[in-house]
Amino acid sequence: MEERYNPEQIELHWQEVWNKEKTFAVKEDRTKGKFYLLEMFPYPSGRIHMGHVRNYTIGDVIARYLKMTGKNVLHPMGWDAFGMPAENAALSHKTHPKDWVDSNIANMKSQLKRLGLSYDWDREVNTSVPSYYRWEQKFFIEMYKKGLAYRAKSAVNWCPHCTTVLANEQVIDGKCWRCSTEVVIREKEQWFLKITAYAEELLKDCDTLNGWPERVITMQKNWIGKSEGCEILFRIDGLNEDLRIFTTRPDTVYGITFMSIAPEHPLVEKIVTEQNRDTVHAFVDRIKKGGTKTREIEIGEKEGVFTGRYAVSPFTGEKIPIYVANFVLMEYGTGAIMAVPGHDQRDFEFAKKYGLNIKVVIQPDGQALDPGTMKQAHEGSGTMVNSGQFTGTGNEQGKRLVIEKVVKENIGTAKTNYKLRDWGISRQRYWGAPIPMVYCAKDGIQPVPFDQLPVELPMDINITGEGESPLARHEKFLNTICPVCHGPAKRETDTMDTFMESSWYFEKYTSPGQNDRPFDKDALAYWMPVDQYIGGIEHAILHLLYARFMTKVLRDLGYVQYDEPFSNLLTQGMVIKDGAKMSKSLGNIVDPESIIKQYGADTARLFILFAAPPEKDLEWSDKGVEGARRFLDRLWRIIYKYMNRFKQIKTQRGNDDEGALQIRRLTHKTIKRVTDDISDRFHFNTCVSALMELLNGLYELDEKGIQDAQLSAFKEALDTLLILLNPFAPHITEQLNKELGNLPIVTAVWPAYNQGLVHDNIVNIVIQVNGKLRGQISVPENSNEHTVFDRASQDEKINSHISGKQVKRLILVQNKLLNIVV
């Protein structure tokens, strides 16, 4: 063994060994407990970034640890390879998207291997190959036959730059999530998947996701947006038309002073009067810019314009002015709302702005609201007033009674509504999975027969970046045969939203090499669901909701036998530098390749895991990287120093003296700390801290001098340190372990601690934040500042004073006090 630690030489050696021996390839083994660990697969942009390094290193620690605990661990990787970025990049670089993607995959795969990640590469998935999307096309056809896929005209978000439809989730602040071009609304025929058919089940099953962060569950519930109420018909004065509204507050119907409809509502053209037409048209055109998601319902300025027309209240007979308003969305409810400014803040602001009447119809207990002096709407409970037959009724009871009146008098129906809209999957781009449908003049829309799948993307395509899908200009692809009458027909030229590919890829990993069916049912039954899924919080609605939906569809199509795809979810924080997320535009990017070249992959991994708990944002620190490297250098030196002395250890161990017992206590306390933090909390930062403390303790003992009687305990401590550190820094630990004459760590068993050696005295520590007393916690005696801080951050009261703040410094008075400076 060389005296100097040479990470590149060591890392490349072990990566070659693992690759050659297929160390991390797995098969179903029913004698072992399985664990399916998965990080969200990347789009092959060409280079990994520090966010990738963090995400995949977190997963790798868990995978390696669980393998040592005896689990049969499935840990695969693949590529989310379709989509607009590849097409746009290919256009910029004057190349084909396939060539661009294939080159990027090769480069990124090499980079991931260079990190020493324990993937089973035999299961690699590429969503852009026909053998993958063939099955996706089959799923689509089966959904079409069950009424879960359909074509309809709809107001859609349209990106003029990408020339494609965007889902609501893909519109960020009125702009395309990919290119930041301002989105506009356009009417277009497109394909939808009926996710609304699963709205109630998706909502209900949120309560079964016990291993998911509460924040993500709340985001999904809010997106599904269930609300109970009723639909009511209001006759439009002077027209043979009704305006249909949905409300969750039927108790306030006597307080309606105006109606609001969405700019996209089909009745706008019918109800607008001639003298108001130009004003309404100008308003509608302005509001439609920016897409359907940009009205900023809660915080944006409320705007509207009078149509010149009135609705008639079925409760009072009053004529109610109808406005077109920017805060009403066509996609929610009926696209029209009754406005009750006395009891809805949004309506209150609108009424104040345009000088509209305000009525009080719910009086809170013990108060007498006056519409003339109200500063804001009263949205709470109370007693119904000025409400005809319902005056004097409590408003909660009034909701039920008004709904009964609506149903009895046939002026509406009781209704449950959802904010969730059907998933528009049509994309007017080339680089995506073709939608397997044809259009025949005689037989209409027809699915491609299963035996003709996949419908492959033609490779001889001319991408100009202009107009809609280039597939519409490819005669050989476009012209086909009707499967019913065998006459001429045209193929669908839209491709599928790339979230289709990522909504089932995790199932495909279980069945590599399948050609005659999408999955091997036995393999699927063994591996699924995913035990631990890891990815960014930004996927809380988009990918995760679609994946849950698709899993339920595949269940109902007979492919899978479970309801949810992911048992546990970890959403890791961002990597930030100089207080901001790393980005090219800010010039604060740190290239993983340069860090690996300068310090080694093990150092990069160790720093990423030590700098912050997984779910928190990580602030990049060059000094932190250097500190991680120094730790590995110290480990290397102390093992090298004792290498020859360890050879003198007798096989038979005698009774431990006090010094040896001290070493064993230190070792077993560390085993317990690391095991608890890695298995229960994924607090890898405190695991690394414990390992650093163990090494520091061994150096202190080394300075005092290790006696022969203590040598066995000292070697056991270093052997254990290497095993415990291995999931974090696998290359150096495997190399040093080999030099010590031990069997490979990759086949080792995770060490168990001796309960008799881990007993500690417990002390109470006072916790201050910026010098102010915030609480008290109990920790083992002589705990360091990181351990104390970790325990303190788990205390709800203390955490409320530090959550969301940057920790500048930890000042520890041993066994007495910790001051957290934020």
Side-chain angles (χ1 to χ4, degrees), residues 479-493:
N479 296 307
T480 187
I481 303 297
C482 172
V484 178
C485 69
H486 304 293
K490 302 287 186 184
R491 287 196 191 280
E492 171 61 72
T493 59

Side-chain angles (χ1 to χ4, degrees), residues 329-373:
L329 299 179
M330 190 64 218
E331 62 185 28
Y332 180 60
T334 64
I337 63 170
M338 61 181 216
V340 185
H343 304 286
D344 183 281
Q345 186 60 29
R346 179 180 58 187
D347 298 341
F348 182 85
E349 293 171 15
F350 191 93
K352 283 290 188 182
K353 180 173 183 175
Y354 293 102
L356 298 170
N357 192 22
I358 298 174
K359 293 181 181 180
V360 171
V361 293
I362 307 288
Q363 283 285 11
D365 294 340
Q367 295 185 51
L369 297 178
D370 180 357
T373 59

Side-chain angles (χ1 to χ4, degrees), residues 52-200:
H52 289 132
V53 175
R54 189 180 194 198
N55 189 6
Y56 305 145
T57 303
I58 288 169
D60 199 54
V61 170
I62 301 169
R64 288 176 178 272
Y65 161 73
L66 288 169
K67 191 173 189 296
M68 282 194 271
T69 65
K71 293 287 188 184
N72 193 27
V73 179
L74 172 58
H75 189 208
M77 178 47 69
W79 313 98
D80 192 9
F82 267 145
M84 292 181 285
E87 192 167 337
N88 291 339
L91 185 64
S92 317
H93 294 82
K94 295 183 170 32
T95 186
H96 194 283
K98 183 181 186 304
D99 296 335
W100 174 262
V101 162
D102 288 350
S103 171
N104 287 352
I105 286 175
N107 188 40
M108 290 180 72
K109 185 173 179 178
S110 171
Q111 290 179 307
L112 294 181
K113 286 189 172 184
R114 187 63 187 85
L115 277 167
L117 302 170
S118 59
Y119 292 131
D120 180 353
W121 286 107
D122 290 346
R123 296 172 183 266
E124 184 179 6
V125 158
N126 177 343
T127 63
S128 68
V129 299
S131 59
Y132 180 86
Y133 64 73
R134 162 194 185 182
W135 302 114
E136 186 173 305
Q137 292 173 339
K138 186 173 189 288
F139 301 152
F140 178 89
I141 292 169
E142 290 176 312
M143 292 174 75
Y144 174 75
K145 290 179 177 180
K146 285 187 171 288
L148 293 173
Y150 64 93
R151 195 168 185 253
K153 201 164 194 177
S154 172
V156 297
N157 299 307
W158 177 260
C159 174
H161 179 265
C162 297
T163 58
T164 194
V165 172
L166 302 175
N168 284 334
E169 302 92 326
Q170 295 169 323
V171 180
I172 309 297
D173 296 328
K175 295 178 180 178
C176 174
W177 73 315
R178 289 293 193 190
C179 69
S180 297
T181 298
E182 188 174 80
V183 172
V184 297
I185 296 174
R186 176 186 284 194
E187 286 280 326
K188 188 167 184 64
E189 287 275 359
Q190 62 167 346
W191 286 97
F192 291 87
L193 298 184
K194 201 162 188 168
I195 191 173
T196 53
Y198 289 81
E200 184 60 31

Side-chain angles (χ1 to χ4, degrees), residues 225-239:
K226 182 179 181 179
S227 53
E228 304 277 0
C230 64
E231 283 188 356
I232 307 173
L233 299 175
F234 288 75
R235 181 172 55 82
I236 298 174
D237 190 41
L239 291 178

Side-chain angles (χ1 to χ4, degrees), residues 676-697:
D676 289 348
D677 282 349
I678 201 172
S679 61
D680 294 343
R681 294 183 289 271
F682 293 162
H683 280 196
F684 306 129
N685 57 321
T686 55
C687 292
V688 176
S689 177
L691 295 170
M692 289 178 171
E693 287 178 40
L694 174 58
L695 185 61
N696 288 340

